[in-house]
Amino acid sequence: MLTGDRGFSPLNTYFRSHRSARTLAFMVGCTAALTWWGGQAVLFPNVSGDRPIPASGAAFMPLLLAIGVLVSTIDGMADFSQAAALPRRRVLASHLTVAFGIAVLLACVALILSGDLEAFPLAFRNMLGFTGLAAFSAALLGFRLSWLLPVVQTVPAFLLGAPGAKGTRAQWWEWPRAGTENGTAWVVAVGLMTLGMLLVLLRADRRN
């Protein structure tokens, strides 16, 4: 009798090896912060000495949610996963799709609860761009450093420049601060997401 195998669940093992509960707790914490902050603007100090730069939670919090998406792929059983029957690239693509969907859903819930659902397009666009940057970072430096490029982006995006009160004067490198009607910002965000995901999937066989 294989009684020792009765409690084995591949899905539960996968979740445990990826520390999914910890990652979900982090993302729920980000959701709580976004619920409190919402679409309201607060002033960020401008390191160039110009006027303080207003930023909303819908613009900033997707940075942390996007990092959570890529960090969730860190595999505590990487050696086993490399030898698994399913190709690593296929599993990773499914994982990223589900994790990104959860992040978008949490952002939507947070903005509904905060009464700022009209800020969702801004949050979604920035989620695309920051997730793409995190994917670039993961592909180049490993999944444990997937936070690096998104965090580096925060300096020019949130602490430099003069994008205007509603992002009406944002330049292309200020895409996270640009208004949702800014087509260039959408092109940059979608481009980062597309290229970042392609690169991380092409390099899916590298170790974490």
Side-chain angles (χ1 to χ4, degrees), residues 165-179:
K166 296 183 178 180
T168 54
R169 299 195 303 272
Q171 301 180 58
W172 69 269
W173 54 269
E174 298 174 284
W175 61 268
R177 304 294 318 289

PDB file of all heavy atoms in Angstrom, residues 165-179:
ATOM      1  N   ALA A 165       1.024  68.537 -13.188  1.00  0.00           N
ATOM      2  CA  ALA A 165       0.131  68.039 -12.139  1.00  0.00           C
ATOM      3  C   ALA A 165      -0.554  66.739 -12.530  1.00  0.00           C
ATOM      4  O   ALA A 165      -0.737  65.855 -11.704  1.00  0.00           O
ATOM      5  CB  ALA A 165      -0.905  69.109 -11.802  1.00  0.00           C
ATOM      6  N   LYS A 166      -0.960  66.587 -13.764  1.00  0.00           N
ATOM      7  CA  LYS A 166      -1.632  65.368 -14.217  1.00  0.00           C
ATOM      8  C   LYS A 166      -0.839  64.623 -15.277  1.00  0.00           C
ATOM      9  O   LYS A 166      -1.402  63.857 -16.060  1.00  0.00           O
ATOM     10  CB  LYS A 166      -3.026  65.712 -14.749  1.00  0.00           C
ATOM     11  CG  LYS A 166      -3.964  66.280 -13.678  1.00  0.00           C
ATOM     12  CD  LYS A 166      -5.340  66.522 -14.230  1.00  0.00           C
ATOM     13  CE  LYS A 166      -6.283  67.050 -13.137  1.00  0.00           C
ATOM     14  NZ  LYS A 166      -7.642  67.294 -13.664  1.00  0.00           N
ATOM     15  N   GLY A 167       0.476  64.845 -15.290  1.00  0.00           N
ATOM     16  CA  GLY A 167       1.332  64.156 -16.246  1.00  0.00           C
ATOM     17  C   GLY A 167       1.202  64.645 -17.661  1.00  0.00           C
ATOM     18  O   GLY A 167       1.594  63.957 -18.604  1.00  0.00           O
ATOM     19  N   THR A 168       0.686  65.853 -17.823  1.00  0.00           N
ATOM     20  CA  THR A 168       0.439  66.355 -19.180  1.00  0.00           C
ATOM     21  C   THR A 168       1.733  66.726 -19.909  1.00  0.00           C
ATOM     22  O   THR A 168       1.751  66.794 -21.137  1.00  0.00           O
ATOM     23  CB  THR A 168      -0.480  67.593 -19.133  1.00  0.00           C
ATOM     24  OG1 THR A 168       0.094  68.568 -18.239  1.00  0.00           O
ATOM     25  CG2 THR A 168      -1.859  67.200 -18.615  1.00  0.00           C
ATOM     26  N   ARG A 169       2.804  66.983 -19.155  1.00  0.00           N
ATOM     27  CA  ARG A 169       4.073  67.367 -19.789  1.00  0.00           C
ATOM     28  C   ARG A 169       5.147  66.292 -19.636  1.00  0.00           C
ATOM     29  O   ARG A 169       6.327  66.560 -19.818  1.00  0.00           O
ATOM     30  CB  ARG A 169       4.583  68.687 -19.177  1.00  0.00           C
ATOM     31  CG  ARG A 169       3.636  69.865 -19.368  1.00  0.00           C
ATOM     32  CD  ARG A 169       4.334  71.191 -19.090  1.00  0.00           C
ATOM     33  NE  ARG A 169       4.901  71.241 -17.743  1.00  0.00           N
ATOM     34  CZ  ARG A 169       4.235  71.640 -16.668  1.00  0.00           C
ATOM     35  NH1 ARG A 169       2.960  72.005 -16.781  1.00  0.00           N
ATOM     36  NH2 ARG A 169       4.800  71.671 -15.482  1.00  0.00           N
ATOM     37  N   ALA A 170       4.734  65.085 -19.332  1.00  0.00           N
ATOM     38  CA  ALA A 170       5.696  64.002 -19.104  1.00  0.00           C
ATOM     39  C   ALA A 170       6.423  63.633 -20.392  1.00  0.00           C
ATOM     40  O   ALA A 170       5.821  63.532 -21.461  1.00  0.00           O
ATOM     41  CB  ALA A 170       4.985  62.777 -18.545  1.00  0.00           C
ATOM     42  N   GLN A 171       7.753  63.432 -20.266  1.00  0.00           N
ATOM     43  CA  GLN A 171       8.543  62.946 -21.376  1.00  0.00           C
ATOM     44  C   GLN A 171       8.524  61.420 -21.381  1.00  0.00           C
ATOM     45  O   GLN A 171       8.023  60.789 -20.450  1.00  0.00           O
ATOM     46  CB  GLN A 171       9.978  63.464 -21.250  1.00  0.00           C
ATOM     47  CG  GLN A 171      10.066  64.995 -21.224  1.00  0.00           C
ATOM     48  CD  GLN A 171      11.493  65.479 -21.101  1.00  0.00           C
ATOM     49  OE1 GLN A 171      12.346  65.159 -21.931  1.00  0.00           O
ATOM     50  NE2 GLN A 171      11.762  66.257 -20.059  1.00  0.00           N
ATOM     51  N   TRP A 172       9.104  60.820 -22.443  1.00  0.00           N
ATOM     52  CA  TRP A 172       8.979  59.370 -22.592  1.00  0.00           C
ATOM     53  C   TRP A 172       9.567  58.609 -21.411  1.00  0.00           C
ATOM     54  O   TRP A 172       9.028  57.583 -20.992  1.00  0.00           O
ATOM     55  CB  TRP A 172       9.629  58.915 -23.899  1.00  0.00           C
ATOM     56  CG  TRP A 172      11.130  59.043 -23.906  1.00  0.00           C
ATOM     57  CD1 TRP A 172      11.869  60.110 -24.320  1.00  0.00           C
ATOM     58  CD2 TRP A 172      12.055  58.056 -23.442  1.00  0.00           C
ATOM     59  NE1 TRP A 172      13.203  59.861 -24.154  1.00  0.00           N
ATOM     60  CE2 TRP A 172      13.347  58.608 -23.626  1.00  0.00           C
ATOM     61  CE3 TRP A 172      11.936  56.772 -22.906  1.00  0.00           C
ATOM     62  CZ2 TRP A 172      14.506  57.917 -23.284  1.00  0.00           C
ATOM     63  CZ3 TRP A 172      13.086  56.073 -22.561  1.00  0.00           C
ATOM     64  CH2 TRP A 172      14.344  56.637 -22.756  1.00  0.00           C
ATOM     65  N   TRP A 173      10.669  59.107 -20.823  1.00  0.00           N
ATOM     66  CA  TRP A 173      11.296  58.402 -19.706  1.00  0.00           C
ATOM     67  C   TRP A 173      10.530  58.605 -18.390  1.00  0.00           C
ATOM     68  O   TRP A 173      10.806  57.933 -17.402  1.00  0.00           O
ATOM     69  CB  TRP A 173      12.753  58.844 -19.542  1.00  0.00           C
ATOM     70  CG  TRP A 173      12.955  60.328 -19.399  1.00  0.00           C
ATOM     71  CD1 TRP A 173      13.180  61.228 -20.402  1.00  0.00           C
ATOM     72  CD2 TRP A 173      12.953  61.091 -18.182  1.00  0.00           C
ATOM     73  NE1 TRP A 173      13.312  62.501 -19.895  1.00  0.00           N
ATOM     74  CE2 TRP A 173      13.191  62.445 -18.530  1.00  0.00           C
ATOM     75  CE3 TRP A 173      12.785  60.769 -16.838  1.00  0.00           C
ATOM     76  CZ2 TRP A 173      13.238  63.466 -17.584  1.00  0.00           C
ATOM     77  CZ3 TRP A 173      12.847  61.777 -15.885  1.00  0.00           C
ATOM     78  CH2 TRP A 173      13.072  63.113 -16.270  1.00  0.00           C
ATOM     79  N   GLU A 174       9.545  59.497 -18.406  1.00  0.00           N
ATOM     80  CA  GLU A 174       8.661  59.699 -17.255  1.00  0.00           C
ATOM     81  C   GLU A 174       7.341  58.951 -17.434  1.00  0.00           C
ATOM     82  O   GLU A 174       6.333  59.322 -16.853  1.00  0.00           O
ATOM     83  CB  GLU A 174       8.376  61.190 -17.070  1.00  0.00           C
ATOM     84  CG  GLU A 174       9.600  62.050 -16.769  1.00  0.00           C
ATOM     85  CD  GLU A 174       9.265  63.524 -16.745  1.00  0.00           C
ATOM     86  OE1 GLU A 174       9.085  64.112 -17.844  1.00  0.00           O
ATOM     87  OE2 GLU A 174       9.165  64.090 -15.645  1.00  0.00           O
ATOM     88  N   TRP A 175       7.355  57.891 -18.230  1.00  0.00           N
ATOM     89  CA  TRP A 175       6.113  57.195 -18.588  1.00  0.00           C
ATOM     90  C   TRP A 175       5.252  56.812 -17.383  1.00  0.00           C
ATOM     91  O   TRP A 175       4.020  56.862 -17.487  1.00  0.00           O
ATOM     92  CB  TRP A 175       6.405  55.967 -19.457  1.00  0.00           C
ATOM     93  CG  TRP A 175       7.267  54.933 -18.812  1.00  0.00           C
ATOM     94  CD1 TRP A 175       8.621  54.834 -18.881  1.00  0.00           C
ATOM     95  CD2 TRP A 175       6.831  53.855 -17.974  1.00  0.00           C
ATOM     96  NE1 TRP A 175       9.061  53.758 -18.140  1.00  0.00           N
ATOM     97  CE2 TRP A 175       7.991  53.142 -17.582  1.00  0.00           C
ATOM     98  CE3 TRP A 175       5.578  53.421 -17.530  1.00  0.00           C
ATOM     99  CZ2 TRP A 175       7.927  52.026 -16.750  1.00  0.00           C
ATOM    100  CZ3 TRP A 175       5.516  52.309 -16.702  1.00  0.00           C
ATOM    101  CH2 TRP A 175       6.679  51.613 -16.327  1.00  0.00           C
ATOM    102  N   PRO A 176       5.817  56.422 -16.201  1.00  0.00           N
ATOM    103  CA  PRO A 176       4.910  56.073 -15.102  1.00  0.00           C
ATOM    104  C   PRO A 176       4.104  57.259 -14.577  1.00  0.00           C
ATOM    105  O   PRO A 176       3.086  57.080 -13.919  1.00  0.00           O
ATOM    106  CB  PRO A 176       5.862  55.542 -14.011  1.00  0.00           C
ATOM    107  CG  PRO A 176       7.112  55.167 -14.728  1.00  0.00           C
ATOM    108  CD  PRO A 176       7.220  56.178 -15.822  1.00  0.00           C
ATOM    109  N   ARG A 177       4.574  58.486 -14.859  1.00  0.00           N
ATOM    110  CA  ARG A 177       3.910  59.687 -14.361  1.00  0.00           C
ATOM    111  C   ARG A 177       3.003  60.331 -15.391  1.00  0.00           C
ATOM    112  O   ARG A 177       2.283  61.276 -15.099  1.00  0.00           O
ATOM    113  CB  ARG A 177       4.982  60.717 -13.963  1.00  0.00           C
ATOM    114  CG  ARG A 177       5.987  60.201 -12.938  1.00  0.00           C
ATOM    115  CD  ARG A 177       5.315  59.929 -11.633  1.00  0.00           C
ATOM    116  NE  ARG A 177       4.376  60.977 -11.303  1.00  0.00           N
ATOM    117  CZ  ARG A 177       4.749  62.210 -10.936  1.00  0.00           C
ATOM    118  NH1 ARG A 177       6.022  62.515 -10.833  1.00  0.00           N
ATOM    119  NH2 ARG A 177       3.839  63.116 -10.670  1.00  0.00           N
ATOM    120  N   ALA A 178       3.063  59.843 -16.620  1.00  0.00           N
ATOM    121  CA  ALA A 178       2.287  60.451 -17.703  1.00  0.00           C
ATOM    122  C   ALA A 178       0.795  60.183 -17.524  1.00  0.00           C
ATOM    123  O   ALA A 178       0.387  59.190 -16.921  1.00  0.00           O
ATOM    124  CB  ALA A 178       2.745  59.908 -19.055  1.00  0.00           C
ATOM    125  N   GLY A 179      -0.016  61.091 -18.054  1.00  0.00           N
ATOM    126  CA  GLY A 179      -1.463  60.891 -18.048  1.00  0.00           C
ATOM    127  C   GLY A 179      -1.845  59.708 -18.921  1.00  0.00           C
ATOM    128  O   GLY A 179      -1.100  59.316 -19.826  1.00  0.00           O
TER     129      GLY A 179
END
